[in-house]
Every structure is written in C-alpha cells, then in structure tokens.
Amino acid sequence: MSKLALVGGKPVTDNLLAGARLTTRSDLERQYLLEVLDSGTWDDWPGVESMAKKFENEWAAYNKSRFCALLTNGTHTLQVALETLDIGFGDEVIVPGLTWQATASAICDVNAVPVMVDVDPETLCIDTAKIEAAITPRTRAIIPVHLYHRMADLDRLIPLSRKYNLAIIEDCAHAHGSQWDAQNAGTFGDFGSFSFQRSKLITAGEGGALLMQDEENYWKVVSQRSCGREFRQGIKVHSGNYRITSFQAAVLRAQLQAHAVNAPIINQTGLALDAAIAEAPGVQPLRRNPHITRQCGYAFVFLYDRSAFDGIEGKLFRKALSAEVGYDFTTTYTPLSHSEVYSPHQKKRHHLNRSYLEAITPSRWNLPVADDLWQHRAVLAGWGIFACPPERASLLTEAIAKIHLNRNELLRMI
Ligand SMILES: Cc1ncc(COP(=O)(O)O)c(C=O)c1O
C-alpha cells in the first residue's frame, strides 16, 4: 500500500494551519469604510482632510519615514519614482531578473532600459556581486526587490549606489514591515515602493504607496499623482491621474492595525519554518542575512535539491509536499527573460528606435540562476503559511522526510 498522500496514502496532516494565528480587523474595515461614506470625502485631494491622508500619516509613522504618498498601485509608484528622478529615454536602470514584471515594465513605461542582473541562488534577491559589471555611463538607478522571504543586501547596495551616484528605489511590494538593522524596508533608498494589491500583506484590493525622505521629491510625487498640478510653489511635473480613493485608505488603515500585530508573528513563524526545513533531508532554507531583524515576507521559500531525491523534478516534489500537508506549494515567477507577462518589445508605444527595441527585448538576458531556481530549486508557499503555529512547523520536516524515504513511489510515476 502507498505511503505518500499524492498516491493515495494518509497525509502527514490535512491542515498544516490548524490553530492559525494571524489577526484580521474586518470590524475596523467596516467602521472606517462607513466613516468615509458618511463623510462625503471619498477621494484623496491635496489640502483636504481625508481617510487617505490619515493612512498616509500612519504608514509613514509605522515605517518611520518622513514622507508617504499614496498612489493607485505598486506599478505606478515605481513609474512615478523614476519620473521624479527624471529618468527616461537614454537611461538605464538595474533590476533583478527574477521579480514580478512591474519592476521592469515601469522602467519601459518611462522609456528607459531595464538592465537585468541575475539573483543570488540562496536569497533569490538581486546578486549584488554582479551589479558592478552591469553599470554603464547610462545607469541612473537600481531597483532592488525585497523578494518573497528575504531582503536584498542593503549593506552592499547602499555603498554601491553612493560609489556610482545611482538612485535606489526599493521595491517593497513583498516586504511590508520587514526590517534591516531594525529600520523598515523602504526607508533606505531614495524611494520605497509598496503595493496593496489583493495578494499583498496589507491590501485594499488595489493601491500603492511611496515612502521618501526628501521633501522636494515628495512634492514632485504629489504633483504627478494629480495631473501635474502645482501644490508647492515651483514644483510641478507633467503627469496623469494616479490618485487612490479614501475607501481604499479606510481598508488599509484597518489592515495596518492588524499587520502591526502580525508582523512579529510572521517573522517568528518564518524562523520556525526555516528551522524545520534545515532539519529535513535534501532541502535547505534561504540564507538569512544577520542584518535582517524582521522578515515579513510575501511568501515562504526554501530550496530543493533534486539530486538528493534521485532526480525527481521540483514540480513533482512540490505536488507531493502539498498533498502531505494540505497546503499549496508552487514555484517562483518566471524569470523576466522569458516571462509570459513581460513583453515590452511587442508594444508599439515602445518602438522608439531599433536600438531601444533591441535593448528592451527580454530574450537578450541570460539569467541561469533565476532559471534554475524557477525550474528546479525553489519551493514557495503564499504568505498565508505564516499563520502556521510554530510548533506545527515540524510537520514540514516530517512530510519532507517521508517523501524522501518513499521517493520510489514518485519515481514510479515518472
Ligand atoms: C515585486 C513587485 N513589484 C511591483 C508590483 C506591482 O504592484 P501592483 O500590482 O500594485 O501594481 C508587484 C505586484 O505584484 C510585485 O510583486
């Protein structure tokens, strides 16, 4: 009789998250939403007291940032940050090759060129050792992404940016409340860009925010989100409309209160899950830089070594693990060199000239580390897994050990 759940055996657990322990505040979401409705101030208009303004202040305070501006989403935040820095045609911006397409497409949307750098095989974030080779006289900025379950190496990024006079826009779409040396993600670079899209740790369905420490940059952002109007004398930047509604801010305020409670729990559970992986055969946790004092990841990720499983592909291992613990494991984004959702060269708007078109064609980039992670090595679970009580993390060790012991059952399926 089969032992593995994938082939009909009894799973290690049918619910890894039994006793889940993350807080939600739907009561407050409802309360704040009704406040907005009754107030009649449904938008986010400069100079008008609104729920959006309240959340901006609270998000700035939570992150200990001087300024915060809410915008429509975490793609527009990147685009507006780039335009605030006056980055455009003729410029290059360095990005990791493994990220959501928005990190790079925002660069194309300002007519600059995203230059892809491969990622660190043990953190999945941009490989800082490979950045210098990608810098040219046209390079203006780096957009490091604090991807999934780790932060990009800020201790190496900040000196590099100073050495070459490059701006840093931290893409924090996966890092709400993560900390490096007790300082919040998004406050190290010129800008910290956040998304509040449905899958994120804090969400209003859609939404985005920029953190920044420079006042002039703040007013440039405020001008750009409101059609290029001049709200501070002498500061206006031609733009469109990137305003959020106060209904979204109402939900975000309540979500932030829940997140403030959850953030240390997410960090603690992440450590427990890492420890459980370290105990299991044929897998390893991501390397955690000791400067990370709080990791509030968007996903939990660990690394799989198929040679320890007689060559069984990561895809089958992930299916077997999902079946053992009643929780879905998947892999990373497709690397941008061949992502199904990243094809800026196919858009007429980007056909500026032949050399630009060649420069933004994704297939020009070779990203072997990202490819290997995506295809073979990464095992990823959505951030809901951080609700797992730490004492249940050992079920993961048990499940992986069980798959390892009974790998013949999987080999027979191939
Ligand atoms: C790393 C990263 N950057 C940027 C974004 C863009 O955010 P939004 O969906 O709010 O536009 C996302 C969204 O998934 C993301 O994962």
Side-chain angles (χ1 to χ4, degrees):
M1 178 157 137
S2 301
K3 297 261 174 45
L4 295 181
L6 187 64
V7 279
K10 190 173 169 332
V12 167
T13 172
D14 51 20
N15 181 11
L16 180 67
L17 302 193
R21 56 179 203 141
L22 290 182
T23 296
T24 53
R25 291 303 307 267
S26 51
D27 56 328
L28 274 184
E29 288 167 7
R30 197 174 295 271
Q31 180 191 318
Y32 292 151
L33 275 170
L34 287 173
E35 270 181 42
V36 173
L37 189 67
D38 293 341
S39 73
T41 306
W42 294 354
D43 57 1
D44 174 21
W45 199 254
V48 177
E49 269 317 303
S50 64
M51 196 63 89
K53 195 73 219 148
K54 281 189 180 149
F55 178 69
E56 274 183 348
N57 290 339
E58 287 167 3
W59 187 237
Y62 178 74
N63 292 293
K64 297 194 173 58
S65 172
R66 280 192 74 205
F67 299 100
C68 168
L70 284 179
L71 273 81
T72 28
N73 58 52
T75 305
H76 289 153
T77 46
L78 294 167
Q79 185 184 324
V80 167
L82 288 162
E83 290 191 310
T84 301
L85 296 164
D86 201 26
I87 291 174
F89 189 59
D91 297 328
E92 293 175 356
V93 178
I94 292 176
V95 287
L98 186 65
T99 177
W100 179 238
Q101 60 96 309
T103 316
S105 60
I107 299 167
C108 297
D109 285 338
V110 303
N111 298 341
V113 173
V115 172
M116 313 248 172
V117 167
D118 212 345
V119 293
D120 182 320
E122 294 188 342
T123 67
L124 278 60
C125 296
I126 192 164
D127 188 339
T128 48
K130 294 187 177 146
I131 290 180
E132 268 185 300
I135 294 173
T136 74
R138 292 167 174 245
T139 311
R140 296 280 316 279
I142 308 173
I143 308 185
V145 183
H146 302 306
L147 193 75
Y148 298 133
H149 189 43
R150 288 295 177 254
M151 290 177 76
D153 188 341
L154 290 162
D155 267 26
R156 298 183 74 176
L157 279 161
I158 302 297
L160 260 181
S161 71
R162 293 204 180 115
K163 181 172 170 190
Y164 292 95
N165 194 24
L166 304 176
I168 296 253
I169 302 169
E170 293 174 72
D171 186 341
C172 303
H174 294 189
H176 306 70
S178 284
Q179 293 183 338
W180 186 273
D181 287 334
Q183 182 180 335
N184 277 30
T187 60
F188 289 83
D190 299 75
F191 293 95
S193 167
F194 291 83
S195 161
F196 302 120
Q197 175 261 356
R198 60 179 297 182
S199 64
K200 303 304 187 309
L201 271 109
I202 297 178
T203 182
E206 297 287 353
L210 278 176
L211 298 182
M212 63 231 111
Q213 314 313 314
D214 180 85
E215 187 165 4
E216 187 174 337
N217 281 346
Y218 171 73
W219 289 109
K220 282 184 176 169
V221 168
V222 170
S223 170
Q224 282 172 91
R225 83 172 160 195
S226 241
C227 317
R229 289 188 178 88
E230 183 177 309
F231 296 107
R232 177 52 56 105
Q233 203 179 358
I235 303 182
K236 64 205 266 303
V237 185
H238 173 83
S239 187
N241 174 357
Y242 300 106
R243 290 186 304 267
I244 198 171
T245 69
S246 271
F247 291 110
Q248 288 160 280
V251 178
L252 292 173
R253 282 189 77 203
Q255 292 252 325
L256 175 55
Q257 291 199 32
H259 183 70
V261 177
N262 290 334
I265 298 173
I266 290 173
N267 179 60
Q268 190 193 25
T269 308
L271 287 168
L273 294 170
D274 283 344
I277 295 302
E279 291 292 311
V283 290
Q284 74 181 73
L286 296 185
R287 192 179 78 245
R288 179 164 165 149
N289 191 306
H291 288 284
I292 297 176
T293 42
R294 190 163 75 195
Q295 183 70 57
C296 291
Y298 166 76
F300 170 66
V301 180
F302 66 90
L303 303 172
Y304 170 72
D305 175 7
R306 72 195 144 128
S307 68
F309 284 76
D310 298 333
I312 292 166
E313 277 300 338
K315 192 172 177 185
L316 188 52
F317 169 79
R318 292 192 299 266
K319 270 174 96 171
L321 182 59
S322 306
E324 287 307 332
V325 297
Y327 199 83
D328 269 352
F329 287 85
T330 172
T331 188
T332 64
Y333 299 127
T334 310
L336 292 181
S337 48
H338 50 98
S339 161
E340 61 288 353
V341 286
Y342 181 67
S343 46
H345 57 305
Q346 287 174 358
K347 202 169 183 181
K348 193 168 178 190
R349 158 183 174 179
H350 293 140
H351 288 209
L352 302 178
N353 61 35
R354 183 183 287 269
S355 72
Y356 183 75
L357 197 56
E358 278 169 16
I360 64 165
T361 298
S363 58
R364 73 179 269 219
W365 303 107
N366 187 21
L367 306 165
V369 176
D371 277 338
D372 189 41
L373 287 164
W374 164 67
Q375 238 177 337
H376 305 298
R377 304 207 65 213
V379 184
L380 182 152
W383 68 265
I385 198 171
F386 296 122
C388 174
E391 63 278 9
R392 290 180 70 77
S394 60
L395 293 171
L396 268 186
T397 323
E398 204 181 305
I400 295 167
K402 181 181 165 193
I403 297 168
H404 188 256
L405 190 67
N406 298 287
R407 57 191 182 280
N408 277 343
E409 292 183 11
L410 297 182
L411 284 168
R412 267 185 244 123
M413 292 173 71
I414 297 171

